[in-house]
Every structure is written in structure tokens, then in C-alpha cells.
Amino acid sequence: MLDYNVNYWRKWISIGIGFSQSANSNHYSSGGGSSSIALNGDFDYKTEYNKAPFDYVGELRLQYGSSKNKDQGSRKTVDRIFLDNKLATQLSKYWFFFGSLTFESQFDKGYIYNNNNGPSLLISRFMAPGYLTESVGFEFKPSRFLDVRFGTGTARQTFLIDTTLYKNNPANYNVKRGKKFRNDLAFQLVATFVKDIAKNMNLNTRYALFIPYEKHISFITHRVDATLVAQVNRLVKVSVGGTFVYDKSINGKPQGTEGMALGIAYRFPN
């Protein structure tokens, strides 16, 4: 008889700081640019419990970045609070029944900046908006690096603690003017792909589709987050990341952001 303990928990913590910089002399006219500096931080904590037939995954991701151009104030480049918890029970080899709870918001105020040196317009801040999403449904998980959730029963609460934001954002995050809260029932699909695609190179992608049951089809929202990280050595990394969002309650047009940075990162356990 063998006497040993089995640990069904796995945990990871990843901490990264990215930096980018450019400089031009006062008489440099070839590119017509200006000097700038940008700094961003990324904290990712993930835990997993796997003991058949139960599976639990929890993740907390905090991101914040800011840039400063010559003759301009600081402007944030990335700002996200993301907390996701999912508990599932196995139905067959690749299928699970799951329940999840997700929270999303941001740390700092967000503005629309006037390029003609006019006043900046406040459009967001912490919990304005903030999202809390509860979902139950079925999960397809054919491998450790790919899973797809079909949230047939999903409810999302939108919080808007600042009731004056409609003045600068008429869509008002789909919350009625003067109100601080809205609840939506919907179908949600979430697909994640996290894999080392080459030696010292990791791709992390997440796609979220949200279809409200009681709204017009134009209010279907899409969000894609993707990050490609190349680990140069134990501490130095190069990362390329981007986000695509289409959400009519924020803006009637597709929105996107991308960035590349060189920085230091540490993950433990390695």
C-alpha cells in the first residue's frame, strides 16, 4: 500500500511591468512626432481545483497603464479589473454543467480628449460602469488549453454610480438617465484559448459574446482580448496585446486598442 497525499489545487501568480519610450529633439522634423513615455502594470492570479467530477477555476486580473506625451498630461492606456469564478461538474468526457460569477470594472477616470486643447469629457470611472454577470449553462472542454461556455441562463447587472455621465455619453451604458442600475437577461458565449504556441511564447485569448433577450439584435456585444508574450529570459519579456469591443451601449462603432511593450515579468511557480 502506498501512503501519499494528492493536491488537487494548482495556483499561479504573474506580475509584469512594461515600458515604452520615444524621444525627438526640438529640431527633428522628419517624423513630426513628439517625445513620449508609457508604463503599464499587469497582475494575474489564477487558481484551479480539479477532482473528478468537479472543476473550479478562479482568476483575478488587474491591469493599468499610463502614457505621457510632451506638452500633454498623463493619459491612461489600459485600465481593467476582471474577476472570474467558475464551478463545473462533468457530464461526459468533454462536456460540463457550469455556474459562473464574473465582475468587471476599472480603477480610474476615463475621458474623451479634445485635440484642440478644449476641455476633456469624463465618460467613465470606477463602477461607472461596473458589470456583475451570473451565468449557468454547458461547457465544452476538449483540452486543457481550450474551453467554450454556453451560458443559456445569464443575468448581467450594470452599475453606474455616476448619474451625470449621460451628458458626455448619450448611450449611458444602456442605463436609464438618473438610474444607477440595470439588469439584463441574456445568452452568453465565452471562449478562451491559453497555450504555449512556441518555446517561451504564450498566447492568451478570450472572446465574449452577449445577446440580451429583451433588446434589439443591434445590442449584441462582442469583446476580444488577446495577449502574446515572448519570454526573453527568466525576467525579461516582450508582449503584444490588443482588445476589440463592439457595444452599442458604449459607442455605436467598433473600438480597438493595441500595444507592445518591453518589460520585466515573473511568474511563480514557473
Side-chain angles (χ1 to χ4, degrees):
M1 297 293 292
L2 298 177
D3 184 13
Y4 60 90
N5 293 322
V6 178
N7 189 355
Y8 298 100
W9 287 94
R10 297 196 304 161
K11 300 178 182 179
W12 304 267
I13 296 177
S14 177
I15 301 172
I17 298 176
F19 172 81
S20 62
Q21 180 268 342
S22 66
N24 296 315
S25 68
N26 292 334
H27 302 289
Y28 181 74
S29 59
S30 176
S34 62
S35 300
S36 67
I37 185 172
L39 187 68
N40 62 76
D42 189 336
F43 173 86
D44 191 10
Y45 172 77
K46 189 172 183 178
T47 182
E48 180 179 329
Y49 176 85
N50 194 319
K51 183 181 180 182
F54 297 107
D55 180 79
Y56 166 78
V57 177
E59 181 176 12
L60 171 64
R61 188 161 192 183
L62 309 175
Q63 297 173 286
Y64 189 82
S66 179
S67 68
K68 188 179 188 309
N69 294 331
K70 186 178 180 180
D71 302 325
Q72 290 182 338
S74 298
R75 299 183 178 185
K76 68 177 183 178
T77 55
V78 61
D79 186 2
R80 191 185 189 203
I81 302 172
F82 176 77
L83 175 64
D84 184 51
N85 292 275
K86 181 202 67 178
L87 179 64
T89 182
Q90 193 164 13
L91 301 176
S92 64
K93 185 176 181 179
Y94 298 135
W95 286 94
F96 295 77
F97 180 77
F98 82 91
S100 67
L101 179 67
T102 305
F103 171 76
E104 296 183 75
S105 190
Q106 57 190 359
F107 292 101
D108 203 1
K109 295 178 179 179
Y111 295 91
I112 294 177
Y113 295 98
N114 192 317
N115 293 328
N116 297 319
N117 296 322
S120 302
L121 303 178
L122 178 68
I123 59 170
S124 62
R125 63 196 311 171
F126 176 70
M127 290 301 289
Y131 302 101
L132 186 66
T133 306
E134 307 89 20
S135 184
V136 293
F138 299 93
E139 178 185 31
F140 177 61
K141 194 172 183 179
S143 65
R144 297 190 67 88
F145 55 83
L146 174 67
D147 70 79
V148 183
R149 304 182 203 172
F150 301 90
T152 52
T154 300
R156 182 173 73 179
Q157 296 78 47
T158 302
F159 300 91
L160 199 66
I161 62 172
D162 189 336
T163 58
T164 66
L165 294 183
Y166 72 89
K167 297 177 182 179
N168 300 328
N169 177 18
N172 206 40
Y173 302 101
N174 208 27
V175 178
K176 291 183 178 180
R177 293 183 180 183
K179 301 295 183 179
K180 298 183 177 181
F181 173 84
R182 176 182 173 85
N183 185 66
D184 288 292
L185 299 178
F187 170 83
Q188 185 182 51
L189 183 146
V190 176
T192 60
F193 180 88
V194 183
K195 191 177 190 303
D196 291 332
I197 59 175
K199 185 178 180 180
N200 298 331
M201 186 174 291
N202 179 268
L203 177 64
N204 187 330
T205 60
R206 184 179 191 270
Y207 168 68
L209 169 72
F210 188 84
I211 306 177
Y213 289 136
E214 300 177 349
K215 300 291 290 184
H216 188 267
I217 192 172
S218 62
F219 282 90
I220 294 175
T221 65
H222 305 265
R223 179 179 178 123
V224 180
D225 295 279
T227 305
L228 178 64
V229 178
Q231 201 75 30
V232 179
N233 57 36
R234 189 175 181 182
L235 290 178
V236 178
K237 71 167 185 177
V238 177
S239 64
V240 180
T243 298
F244 169 83
V245 178
Y246 176 77
D247 188 341
K248 188 177 179 180
S249 67
I250 300 175
N251 191 311
K253 299 179 180 180
Q255 303 173 73
T257 180
E258 60 84 24
M260 181 174 68
L262 172 68
I264 59 174
Y266 187 73
R267 180 186 181 189
F268 51 94
N270 286 312

